[in-house]
């Protein structure tokens, strides 16, 4: 029987979410009849990875180390078979600015953006904002809405910079115009033949108006609508754009692509996630369920996709 090692944890801000996701994947693998073990890690070395006794690694880590290419590079160097993107695709998707550049190249609509000047954080009162409020500040390479600031006016912008300045190691952040509208997400998985397919679209409606960390993981008042009422053209565009972006950057096995649709029905790409959440409220499992795959079936499906990738990979 194929043995699966599910990884959770990591050193990043999303560690607790990762552990919850990995626990969900582990349980799903067990319910699917797989011989699965859960391992909570920090930053495993290549030597650590080589010592693991498993046929397939399922790394359910969120954040820069676990989802941004570093872990994937070590898994590849250790010659392990694993679920998810290889290092280059993972690194591009983790970098929201790089993702925007790819989207622009592909003709996928996305807003303009700027990197937050570190000097602005050092002197918030004199900082010149390159984008007029209302705006959003968020880390370039973090997820789960960690470090997210919604700034409706200049005072909120200054307060956000002051708050960021208090961090001993503030992340590199970016600034975007705030889009007034609703958030939509498109799950993407292997279709069973090595080609990516788009899952049903989900609309996210947080009670607070902002889909922040609390709305994602700590409250139960966010409304998720599968197959929301959108025009056929918009549904087709969202799915086509998601697949186009994923294929261009080299995504394999799974991803989730997020968009905002403004009050004029214009869609704007937000980001791509190459290891989406697998908690009880996570979006990819919801979309897969609407497509006929339960959580155990989804976990088994992704393990089988990784096995096929390994079997068809060119020998060196």
């Amino acid at each position: 029987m194929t043995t699966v090692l599910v990884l959770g944890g990591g050193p990043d801000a999303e560690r607790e979410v990762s552990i919850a996701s990995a626990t969900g994947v582990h349980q799903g693998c067990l319910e699917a009849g797989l011989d699965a073990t859960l391992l909570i890690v920090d930053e495993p070395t290549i030597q650590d990875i080589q010592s693991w006794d498993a046929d397939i690694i399922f790394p359910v880590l969120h954040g820069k180390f676990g989802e941004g290419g570093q872990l994937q590079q070590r898994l590849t160097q250790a010659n392990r078979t694993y679920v998810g993107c290889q290092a280059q695709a993972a690194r591009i998707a983790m970098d929201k600015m790089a993702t925007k550049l790819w989207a622009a190249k592909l003709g996928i609509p996305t807003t303009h953006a700027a990197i937050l000047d570190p000097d602005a954080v050092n002197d918030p009162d004199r900082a010149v904002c390159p984008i007029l409020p209302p705006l959003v500040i968020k880390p370039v390479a973090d997820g789960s809405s960690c470090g997210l600031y919604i700034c409706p006016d200049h005072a909120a912008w200054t307060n956000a910079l002051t708050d960021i300045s208090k961090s001993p190691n503030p992340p590199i952040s970016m600034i975007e115009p705030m889009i007034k509208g609703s958030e939509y997400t498109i799950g993407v998985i292997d279709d069973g033949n090595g080609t990516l397919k788009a899952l049903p679209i989900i609309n996210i409606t947080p009670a607070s108006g902002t889909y922040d960390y609390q709305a994602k993981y700590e409250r139960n008042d966010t409304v998720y609508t599968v197959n929301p009422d959108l025009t056929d053209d918009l549904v087709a565009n969202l799915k086509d754009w998601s697949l186009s972006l994923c294929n261009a950057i080299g995504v394999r096995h799974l991803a989730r692509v997020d968009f905002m649709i403004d009050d004029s029905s214009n869609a704007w790409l937000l980001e791509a996630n190459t290891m989406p959440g697998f908690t009880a409220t996570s979006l990819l499992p919801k979309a897969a369920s609407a497509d006929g795959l339960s959580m155990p079936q989804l976990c088994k499906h992704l393990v089988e996709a990784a096995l096929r990738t390994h079997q068809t990979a060119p020998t060196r």
Side-chain angles (χ1 to χ4, degrees), residues 223-265:
V223 176
Y224 302 99
T225 304
V226 181
N227 289 318
D229 185 18
L230 299 172
T231 66
D232 291 345
D233 286 346
L234 188 50
V235 168
N237 282 338
L238 290 173
K239 291 186 175 184
D240 288 347
W241 289 332
S242 298
L243 292 172
S244 177
L245 178 64
C246 288
N247 285 321
I249 67 177
V251 166
R252 66 179 191 181
H253 306 157
L254 75 163
R256 200 191 74 231
V257 184
D258 301 335
F259 288 85
M260 288 291 292
I261 297 180
D262 65 23
D263 292 343
S264 299
S265 297

Side-chain angles (χ1 to χ4, degrees), residues 22 47 50 64 71 83-84 90 150 156 165 179 229 256 287:
Q47 290 72 30
Q50 288 172 332
K64 190 172 182 179
L71 177 59
V83 174
I150 306 295
S165 71
I179 303 166
D229 185 18
R256 200 191 74 231

Side-chain angles (χ1 to χ4, degrees), residues 154-174:
H154 187 79
W157 150 261
T158 303
N159 290 338
L161 297 186
T162 300
D163 193 55
I164 293 170
S165 71
K166 296 175 183 177
S167 171
N169 295 296
I172 298 172
S173 292
M174 60 186 283

Side-chain angles (χ1 to χ4, degrees), residues 4-310:
V4 181
L5 182 63
V6 181
L7 303 182
D12 298 305
E14 298 171 81
R15 178 181 174 86
E16 295 306 313
V17 177
S18 168
I19 291 173
S21 287
T23 301
V25 169
H26 177 237
Q27 184 61 37
C29 287
L30 293 177
E31 291 179 15
L34 299 173
D35 183 359
T37 302
L38 175 64
L39 178 65
I40 306 302
V41 299
D42 291 310
E43 289 190 39
T45 66
I46 293 175
Q47 290 72 30
D48 292 332
I49 295 169
Q50 288 172 332
S51 72
W52 294 338
D53 184 17
D55 299 312
I56 299 284
I57 311 298
F58 199 138
V60 197
L61 274 70
H62 310 312
K64 190 172 182 179
F65 171 79
E67 194 181 352
Q70 296 179 57
L71 177 59
Q72 289 74 17
Q73 183 165 282
R74 295 181 189 185
L75 288 165
T76 299
Q77 290 172 339
N79 197 31
R80 302 308 300 259
T81 302
Y82 60 96
V83 174
C85 289
Q86 293 179 296
Q88 184 178 25
R91 183 67 190 92
I92 293 170
M94 176 54 63
D95 186 327
K96 296 180 180 67
M97 287 295 285
T99 302
K100 278 179 165 292
L101 291 172
W102 270 99
K105 180 180 179 180
L106 295 165
I108 300 169
T110 188
T111 63
H112 58 289
I115 295 294
L116 177 62
D117 183 356
D119 289 339
V121 176
N122 295 332
D123 194 355
D125 291 329
R126 298 177 62 186
V128 176
C129 185
I131 295 174
L132 291 175
L135 59 87
V136 176
I137 303 174
K138 57 187 176 184
V140 169
D142 256 328
S144 294
S145 300
C146 296
L148 174 70
Y149 295 90
I150 306 295
C151 304
D153 51 36
H154 187 79
W157 150 261
T158 303
N159 290 338
L161 297 186
T162 300
D163 193 55
I164 293 170
S165 71
K166 296 175 183 177
S167 171
N169 295 296
I172 298 172
S173 292
M174 60 186 283
I175 311 163
E176 290 180 302
M178 185 174 72
I179 303 166
K180 185 179 179 182
S182 189
E183 186 167 348
Y184 294 77
T185 190
I186 298 87
V188 173
I189 61 170
D190 186 291
D191 69 350
N193 297 297
T195 301
L196 296 176
K197 72 170 186 176
L199 296 172
I201 297 172
I202 298 179
N203 172 228
I204 305 154
T205 309
S208 66
T210 301
Y211 194 44
D212 53 15
Y213 187 95
Q214 288 72 31
K216 290 178 180 178
Y217 305 114
E218 296 179 356
R219 301 199 310 267
N220 59 3
D221 53 5
T222 299
V223 176
Y224 302 99
T225 304
V226 181
N227 289 318
D229 185 18
L230 299 172
T231 66
D232 291 345
D233 286 346
L234 188 50
V235 168
N237 282 338
L238 290 173
K239 291 186 175 184
D240 288 347
W241 289 332
S242 298
L243 292 172
S244 177
L245 178 64
C246 288
N247 285 321
I249 67 177
V251 166
R252 66 179 191 181
H253 306 157
L254 75 163
R256 200 191 74 231
V257 184
D258 301 335
F259 288 85
M260 288 291 292
I261 297 180
D262 65 23
D263 292 343
S264 299
S265 297
N266 298 307
W268 303 95
L269 174 78
L270 293 177
E271 61 181 310
N273 302 272
T274 57
M275 186 51 69
F278 281 86
T279 69
T281 59
S282 291
L283 298 162
L284 184 73
K286 289 181 187 295
S289 177
D291 200 52
L293 286 176
S294 66
M295 181 69 155
Q297 290 170 327
L298 174 62
C299 293
K300 185 177 182 180
H301 180 85
L302 295 171
V303 168
E304 290 173 344
L307 278 172
R308 282 193 302 272
T309 300
H310 178 74

